[in-house]
Amino acid sequence: MPAPSSTSSSEPRRARLPLGGLLALGLVLAADRLVFAEAGLWARIVARLELVPKALVRVELGIARDRVDLARLGQAAPGVARVVLFGNSRANDGFQFREVPPQFELARLTHAPLSPLEFRLCAREVAAAQPALVVALFSEYDTHRPPRIVPRAGFADLRATGGLVLDAVAARGGWEPAFAFEKRVELERLGLAVLFNAYRYRDVLERAWLNDALGFRADDAGRLPTLVSHELDEAPARAPEFQALRARFRRTLGDRYPDATLRQVQDIGVGPHVAANEGLIEAAVAHLRARGCEVLIVEGPLHPLSYELYDHATTRAQFVEFARRLEREHGAHFLALEDSGPYDEGDFSDPLHLVARRGRELGARVLREAAAILDLPAPPRER
Amino acid sequence: MLFNTLDFALFLVLVVGLYHLLAHRAQNVLLLLASYWFYGAWDWRFAGLLFLSTTIDYWIGRGLGALSDARRRRWLLGASVAVNLGILGSFKYFDFFVGSAAALLARLGVHAPDLALHVVLPVGVSFYTFQELSYTIDVYRGQLQPARRFVDFALFVSFFPQLVAGPIERATALLPQIQAPRRVTWQGLRSGAWLILWGTFKKVFVADNLGNLVDAVYARDAHPTGPEAWLAVYAFAFQIYGDFSGYSDVARGSARLLGFELMHNFEWPYFATSLRDLWRRWHISLTTWLRDYLYIPLGGNRVGTLKHYRNMLVTMLLCGLWHGAAWTFVVWGLLHAAALMTQHALTPWTTRVLPRAWPWKLAGGLLAFHLWCLFFVPFRAADMGQALDLWRTLFSDGNAGMARAWLVPLLVYVAPLLLVEAVQRWRGDDELVLRLPVLLRASVYALVFAALVLLAEDHARPFIYFQF
C-alpha cells in the first residue's frame, strides 16, 4: 500500500490555495468566453459547416445559422417589422415563402431539435433583437412528448437556465417533484452548459474544426467516429398495428421516411411532462410579451394517419386549451389548424413534415396573420 | 449512481462538506448512510442483501474473536464462506451451472426442467463478498481483531468509493482507518482531486470514446474485416483499462478527500515486460486476494511441478469465473493459465539464453500485450461463437473497411493516456503532475478538463466492471 498522503499542518498558509486548479479553471473559462465573444464566430462556423456533408451537420448548421440570423435581425433597418420564426424541422418545412414581402425582416430559428426548452432559453436573446413578432409552430407533438433536455441547441441564458432548474427543484412552473428527479441528470448537464459554451456547442465545434484538427474522417458509412453512438441509438417503432399502418403510409409516402419519425409520434401522450413543457412555453411567452413583443402560436399539422398512432382527440384538446389560455392570460395570438387547414395526405412528405407547396401556403397564411397583428398591409395570397 | 455523472459530483461535494463538520464517530455514521444511499440508487432491494451479509459476517467475526475452540472456529469460518459464496452462487452462478447442465443433458437426449432463477445480479456483489471473506479469514487466522462496533464493520463492507467495483480492500488495511480518527490533509485533498479528474478522463475520454468503436465491431449483426477487428481488439484493451483503472482512480481520489487511503489497483500494466509481470500490475486487489486466499493455501509454488501447475490453473480458472458466469470467461481464464504455465516452463531457458537487454524486454512486453489483447476476445464477445468468428477474421480478411477512418481516433484517444503513463512509469511516480511547476500543472489540468468538455460522450456509460 502506498504511503498515506503526507502533509502538513506545518505547510505555510499561502500554499493552501489550489493555485494550479484555480489557474486551470480561469484559463478554461477565459478561453471559453474569449472564443464565443468573437463577433464573426458563428458566420465562420456556418462557412465551415457548409463544407461538411449535409447529413452530418444538419442540426449543427441550424444551431449556427440561428445565431447568425438573430445577429442580422438586430441590425435590420428601422421601419421594417422584425419577425422571428421558431420551431423544429416541422416549422422549417411549414414556414416556406416564395418571397418575403419588403415590410418584413425574418429570422429563422427553425430546425431539429428545437423544442419548448429552447424556446424558453432563447427568449431573452430573441427579445434583445427587438422583434415585433415571434411566430412559433407548436402542437401536441411539442407539448405532449417527454422533453429532451439536451443543452446543445439552446441558448446560454444563465438566468433562464437557473430559473428552470430552480422551478424543477421547487416543483414550480409545471414541474412535478418525481418528474424533476427523473430528469435531474439532464438538468445538471444544462447547468454545466451555462458555465461552458464549449460544452454546450461541442458538437458544432467538433464538426466545424475539431474533427479536422484531430484528423477524424467520416467512415465508409458516412459517419464520423464521434457519431457512432448517436447513430446506434435507434429503436424500432412500437405498436402491434405498425406494419398495417406503415402499408397505409406507403400509399402516399413510399418508404422515404425512417421509422424513427413514427416512434417520435408514438411518444405523444399525457403525463407529467405536459405541464413542464407548457411551463417552458408559457415562461417564454410571458418574457416576450413583457418586452412588448407580439407572439403568434401556429398549430402545426401532422400527417392524418399519424393521428392514429396516439390519443389525438385528448392531447389536441389539451394543447388547444393551453394555447387559448396563452391568448387570454398573456395576450398571445393563436392560429389553430382550422384556420390554416384542411390538410390531407397529399400535403405531407413524411408522417411529420409538409411538402414544399403546402409549406408555402402555410407560410403565406402566417404572413397574412402577422400583417394583421402588426397592422401592416396584407401580403398577396399564395397561388 | 455512476462516478462519471454530475449526480455523483453533487453527492460527493455534499458528503465531503458534511463530513468535515462532524466528529469521528458521526463521520462514520454519515459515510455509512451515504454509502447505502449510493448503493440504493441502483436498487434498494439489494441494499437489504448487503445489510444481511454484513450483519452475518459481523456476528461471525465477533464469534471468531470470542471462541478459542478450534473446531467451533472452523465451523464459524465455514458458515461465513458458505454465506458469502452462497450469495455469490445464487445470484451469479446458479443459472450458469443449471443452464450448462441442462444443455449437456439435452445433448444426451434428456429434457431437464428450467430451474434457472433469472435474477438480476446485484451490483458489486463479487467485490463486497470477497472483501467480507477476507475479513473473516483474517480474523480466523488471528491476523486481525474483529470489529467491535457494527457501524465500523458495516462501513468497511459498504464504503461507497470502492463498494461496487473495488479495489477489494483488506480489512487489515481499511478497518484501522475506519476505527481511528482520520486526518484530512491538504496534500490528500490535492491528490484526491487530481485522481478524480484523471480517473474521469480515463473513463470518459479514453474508455467511452473507444467503446463506440468496440461496440460497432462486437455488435451482433456486425461483420468486421480483419483490420477493423484488430483495431477493435486493441481498442478494447485500452477501453477496459481506461474504464476500470479510471474507476479505481476516482475511488482512491474520493477516499482521499475523506482521509482514507485505498490500495493501488493498477501499476502501468501496459508497460509490463511479460504476461506474468502484466498480471502483477493488473487488478492488483483481486490478484493478491486470489494469491493470499486461494493460490498459497493450495500450496502455491512450494509444491511439485504438477501441483504448482494445478494451482495456477485453478487460480486462473476461478479468476475467469469471478469475472462472469459464462464459458467465455472460463476460456479467458484457461487461456491465461496456459500462457502463464508456458512462460513458467520456459523461464529457465529464456533467462539462460536471452540477454537481459531492453530490446528483449520490449519484445517480451509486446508479446505479452498481444496475447493479452487476443485473450480479451472471448472476454468481450457475447458468446464463444462470436469469439471464434472474430479470431478467424483477425487472421483472414485483409480488407481495410472502416479501419482507416478508425485508426486516427484510436490513436487520439490512446496517446494521451500512454504518454502520461510513460512519464509516470519512467519517474516511478503516479502523481508526478502534482509536483510540476504551477503553470505547467495548470496547463495539464486545463487540457484534461478541455478534453472532457469537448470530446466526452453525451451519455454516461456504466463501468464495465459493474457487471462483475
Side-chain angles (χ1 to χ4, degrees), chain A residues 299-371:
Chain A
E299 186 181 9
L302 293 177
H303 191 291
L305 288 179
S306 296
Y307 295 141
E308 295 182 25
L309 286 164
Y310 64 98
D311 181 1
H312 175 240
T314 306
T315 54
R316 195 213 164 201
Q318 289 179 351
F319 171 77
V320 171
E321 166 53 28
F322 166 64
R324 296 286 179 214
R325 187 164 64 77
L326 292 180
E327 274 189 312
R328 283 194 308 275
E329 296 179 8
H330 297 282
H333 306 270
F334 179 49
L335 189 70
L337 277 184
E338 292 78 8
D339 303 320
S340 64
Y343 297 91
D344 59 39
E345 292 187 14
D347 291 337
F348 291 85
S349 61
D350 70 14
L352 302 174
H353 301 94
L354 289 170
V355 294
R357 167 190 57 78
R358 197 62 182 85
R360 285 195 297 275
E361 287 171 15
L362 178 60
R365 177 72 186 86
V366 165
L367 285 185
R368 285 204 305 282
E369 194 70 18

Side-chain angles (χ1 to χ4, degrees), chain B residues 174-214:
Chain B
L174 187 55
L175 253 182
Q177 297 187 62
I178 292 171
Q179 289 164 329
R182 295 163 291 270
R183 197 159 62 99
V184 180
T185 64
W186 170 243
Q187 189 60 27
L189 289 174
R190 278 181 76 212
S191 62
W194 162 248
L195 280 172
I196 291 172
L197 181 66
W198 182 239
T200 307
F201 175 84
K202 285 203 254 184
K203 162 66 178 159
V204 175
F205 178 82
V206 181
D208 288 357
N209 282 314
L210 290 176
N212 289 334
L213 198 158
V214 175

Side-chain angles (χ1 to χ4, degrees), chain B residues 64 152 159 161 189 205 246 294 327 344-345 350 372 434 454 456:
Chain B
L64 285 169
D152 292 351
F159 187 43
L189 289 174
F205 178 82
L294 181 66
W327 288 109
H344 184 267
T350 51
W372 185 259
L434 297 173
L454 285 168

